[in-house]
């Protein structure tokens, strides 16, 4: 009986997935793009995306290769280059993570969409007009966003055991912090990622059960890892072009807490104790374009049918009243007066049960 149990245990250890073993992080030198980091060292460089039908792109990368072996964690921000708080949080983490204290490897891409950042263009890559968090796993012969996505998939996702994708309210979004837990339907992977999202510590968590399942059409960065069997999460903090120290702090501290949870750093994680689990989103879109006036603030609790804002023409005549379809938490509301027909007015998180 004991012998049989031991046999089963050994079998389970043998077939446990890569993320349970930190397999990729046990190399002496870890390479991403032009970066080569030796054990106990943080090195910097770039993923050089060559020119194709449009311009080349140099995506900055830092790699902290721990003194000891462990999991490989990839952190990525700035797919939307004007979600500033998340970009600044990863810039801070490059300096804060001490590779000598680290078990495992951290790959940091603090600013993927450099053209968006430089030209102050929200949501899209101004080079090709594409969303840099919708084109994964990418194409080597596509436009700049497709090619960048391809190199991030092959250089970053394929080498990582876990990823964290960092976002926040863009210039036109007044957002309260929240995270996404991607429910893939694979029980062991989902239990692992649930542990990560709780360890990050944000107290509002969206249960995301409708993401693509096909790794060849993963669309999102985080989903590119999840569809490849790598437990991963997405986090959001920051709003409307600001870099508030409290938003940067929740992103930096959340990352360090996940790293403690993964045993990459010494110390105990600080998980969210009583998170609000969001079952689904009740988004409100503008039925008319014009000037938007909000009547509620981010984080407010909203009743079904409540008026959350209105749109007028350029001479003050009301064209459209935006009302909540369901009750929930206001995750974000439009932060600027300019609005076009079909633009997002608000996203309301409808509260569900703890999974
Ligand atoms: Zn974003």
């Amino acid at each position: 009986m004991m012998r049989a149990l031991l046999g089963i245990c050994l079998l389970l250890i043998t077939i446990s997935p890569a993320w349970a073993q930190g397999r990729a992080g046990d190399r002496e030198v870890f390479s991403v793009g032009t970066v080569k980091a030796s054990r106990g060292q943080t090195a910097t460089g770039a993923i050089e995306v060559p020119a194709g039908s449009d311009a080349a792109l140099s995506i900055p990368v830092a790699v902290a290769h721990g003194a000891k072996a462990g999991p490989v964690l990839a952190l990525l921000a700035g797919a939307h280059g004007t979600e500033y708080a998340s970009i600044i949080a990863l810039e801070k983490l490059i300096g804060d993570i001490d590779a000598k204290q680290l078990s495992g490897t951290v790959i940091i891409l603090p600013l993927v969409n450099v053209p968006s950042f430089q030209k102050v263009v929200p949501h899209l890559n101004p080079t090709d007009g594409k969303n840099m968090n919708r084109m994964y796993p990418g194409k080597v012969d596509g436009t700049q966003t497709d090619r960048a996505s391809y190199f991030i998939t092959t250089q970053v996702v394929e080498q990582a055991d876990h990823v964290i994708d960092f976002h926040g309210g863009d210039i036109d979004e007044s957002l309260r912090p929240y995270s996404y837990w991607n429910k893939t339907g694979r029980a062991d992977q989902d239990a692992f990622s649930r542990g990560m999202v709780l360890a990050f510590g944000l107290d509002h968590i969206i249960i995301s059960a409708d993401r693509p399942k096909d790794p060849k059409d993963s669309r999102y960065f985080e989903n590119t890892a999840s569809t490849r069997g790598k437990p991963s999460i997405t986090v959001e903090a920051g709003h409307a072009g600001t870099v508030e120290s409290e938003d940067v702090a929740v992103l930096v501290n959340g990352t360090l807490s996940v790293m403690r949870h993964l045993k990459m750093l010494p110390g105990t994680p600080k998980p969210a104790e009583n998170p609000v689990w969001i079952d689904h989103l009740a988004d409100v879109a503008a039925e008319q374009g014009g000037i938007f006036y909000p009547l509620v603030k981010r984080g407010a609790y909203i009743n079904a049918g409540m008026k959350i804002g209105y749109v007028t023409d350029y001479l003050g005549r009301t064209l459209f009243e935006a009302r909540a379809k369901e009750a929930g938490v206001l995750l974000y509301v439009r932060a600027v007066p300019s609005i076009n027909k079909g633009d997002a007015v608000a996203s309301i998180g409808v509260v569900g049960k703890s999974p």
Side-chain angles (χ1 to χ4, degrees), residues 52 76 91 95 126 200 277 320:
L76 180 142
E91 300 292 349
F200 200 93
W277 293 90
F320 166 63

PDB file of all heavy atoms in Angstrom, residues 52 76 91 95 126 200 277 320:
ATOM      1  N   GLY A  52       9.572  46.111 -41.380  1.00  0.00           N
ATOM      2  CA  GLY A  52       8.885  45.271 -42.363  1.00  0.00           C
ATOM      3  C   GLY A  52       8.128  46.187 -43.300  1.00  0.00           C
ATOM      4  O   GLY A  52       8.720  47.077 -43.909  1.00  0.00           O
ATOM      5  N   LEU A  76       4.903  42.990 -17.865  1.00  0.00           N
ATOM      6  CA  LEU A  76       4.813  43.793 -19.082  1.00  0.00           C
ATOM      7  C   LEU A  76       3.833  44.940 -18.868  1.00  0.00           C
ATOM      8  O   LEU A  76       2.718  44.723 -18.386  1.00  0.00           O
ATOM      9  CB  LEU A  76       4.365  42.903 -20.245  1.00  0.00           C
ATOM     10  CG  LEU A  76       4.198  43.551 -21.621  1.00  0.00           C
ATOM     11  CD1 LEU A  76       4.679  42.598 -22.703  1.00  0.00           C
ATOM     12  CD2 LEU A  76       2.761  43.944 -21.872  1.00  0.00           C
ATOM     13  N   GLU A  91       9.131  50.665 -14.152  1.00  0.00           N
ATOM     14  CA  GLU A  91      10.441  51.354 -14.120  1.00  0.00           C
ATOM     15  C   GLU A  91      11.022  51.277 -12.715  1.00  0.00           C
ATOM     16  O   GLU A  91      12.217  51.025 -12.524  1.00  0.00           O
ATOM     17  CB  GLU A  91      10.288  52.833 -14.533  1.00  0.00           C
ATOM     18  CG  GLU A  91       9.727  53.082 -15.923  1.00  0.00           C
ATOM     19  CD  GLU A  91      10.654  52.652 -17.044  1.00  0.00           C
ATOM     20  OE1 GLU A  91      11.836  52.335 -16.792  1.00  0.00           O
ATOM     21  OE2 GLU A  91      10.170  52.607 -18.206  1.00  0.00           O
ATOM     22  N   GLY A  95      14.705  48.871 -10.649  1.00  0.00           N
ATOM     23  CA  GLY A  95      15.699  49.237  -9.636  1.00  0.00           C
ATOM     24  C   GLY A  95      15.496  48.533  -8.302  1.00  0.00           C
ATOM     25  O   GLY A  95      16.450  48.301  -7.564  1.00  0.00           O
ATOM     26  N   PRO A 126       0.252  54.210 -32.820  1.00  0.00           N
ATOM     27  CA  PRO A 126       0.021  55.149 -33.937  1.00  0.00           C
ATOM     28  C   PRO A 126       0.734  54.741 -35.221  1.00  0.00           C
ATOM     29  O   PRO A 126       0.380  55.237 -36.299  1.00  0.00           O
ATOM     30  CB  PRO A 126       0.555  56.481 -33.404  1.00  0.00           C
ATOM     31  CG  PRO A 126       1.455  56.138 -32.272  1.00  0.00           C
ATOM     32  CD  PRO A 126       0.965  54.842 -31.698  1.00  0.00           C
ATOM     33  N   PHE A 200      -1.598  39.313  -5.239  1.00  0.00           N
ATOM     34  CA  PHE A 200      -1.341  40.677  -5.737  1.00  0.00           C
ATOM     35  C   PHE A 200      -1.997  41.716  -4.824  1.00  0.00           C
ATOM     36  O   PHE A 200      -1.503  42.824  -4.665  1.00  0.00           O
ATOM     37  CB  PHE A 200      -1.810  40.845  -7.182  1.00  0.00           C
ATOM     38  CG  PHE A 200      -1.152  42.011  -7.862  1.00  0.00           C
ATOM     39  CD1 PHE A 200       0.000  41.830  -8.608  1.00  0.00           C
ATOM     40  CD2 PHE A 200      -1.664  43.296  -7.729  1.00  0.00           C
ATOM     41  CE1 PHE A 200       0.642  42.900  -9.201  1.00  0.00           C
ATOM     42  CE2 PHE A 200      -1.029  44.379  -8.325  1.00  0.00           C
ATOM     43  CZ  PHE A 200       0.127  44.176  -9.057  1.00  0.00           C
ATOM     44  N   TRP A 277     -15.480  39.888  -5.773  1.00  0.00           N
ATOM     45  CA  TRP A 277     -15.331  39.166  -7.050  1.00  0.00           C
ATOM     46  C   TRP A 277     -16.380  39.684  -8.019  1.00  0.00           C
ATOM     47  O   TRP A 277     -17.574  39.703  -7.727  1.00  0.00           O
ATOM     48  CB  TRP A 277     -15.500  37.663  -6.848  1.00  0.00           C
ATOM     49  CG  TRP A 277     -14.398  37.048  -6.042  1.00  0.00           C
ATOM     50  CD1 TRP A 277     -14.359  36.892  -4.689  1.00  0.00           C
ATOM     51  CD2 TRP A 277     -13.160  36.505  -6.525  1.00  0.00           C
ATOM     52  NE1 TRP A 277     -13.179  36.282  -4.302  1.00  0.00           N
ATOM     53  CE2 TRP A 277     -12.426  36.036  -5.420  1.00  0.00           C
ATOM     54  CE3 TRP A 277     -12.594  36.373  -7.805  1.00  0.00           C
ATOM     55  CZ2 TRP A 277     -11.167  35.443  -5.530  1.00  0.00           C
ATOM     56  CZ3 TRP A 277     -11.337  35.782  -7.924  1.00  0.00           C
ATOM     57  CH2 TRP A 277     -10.635  35.324  -6.798  1.00  0.00           C
ATOM     58  N   PHE A 320     -28.327  62.564 -25.034  1.00  0.00           N
ATOM     59  CA  PHE A 320     -28.322  61.172 -24.571  1.00  0.00           C
ATOM     60  C   PHE A 320     -28.059  61.145 -23.068  1.00  0.00           C
ATOM     61  O   PHE A 320     -27.184  61.849 -22.573  1.00  0.00           O
ATOM     62  CB  PHE A 320     -27.222  60.402 -25.322  1.00  0.00           C
ATOM     63  CG  PHE A 320     -26.871  59.063 -24.737  1.00  0.00           C
ATOM     64  CD1 PHE A 320     -27.807  58.034 -24.680  1.00  0.00           C
ATOM     65  CD2 PHE A 320     -25.588  58.832 -24.239  1.00  0.00           C
ATOM     66  CE1 PHE A 320     -27.473  56.797 -24.147  1.00  0.00           C
ATOM     67  CE2 PHE A 320     -25.248  57.597 -23.707  1.00  0.00           C
ATOM     68  CZ  PHE A 320     -26.194  56.581 -23.652  1.00  0.00           C
TER      69      PHE A 320
END
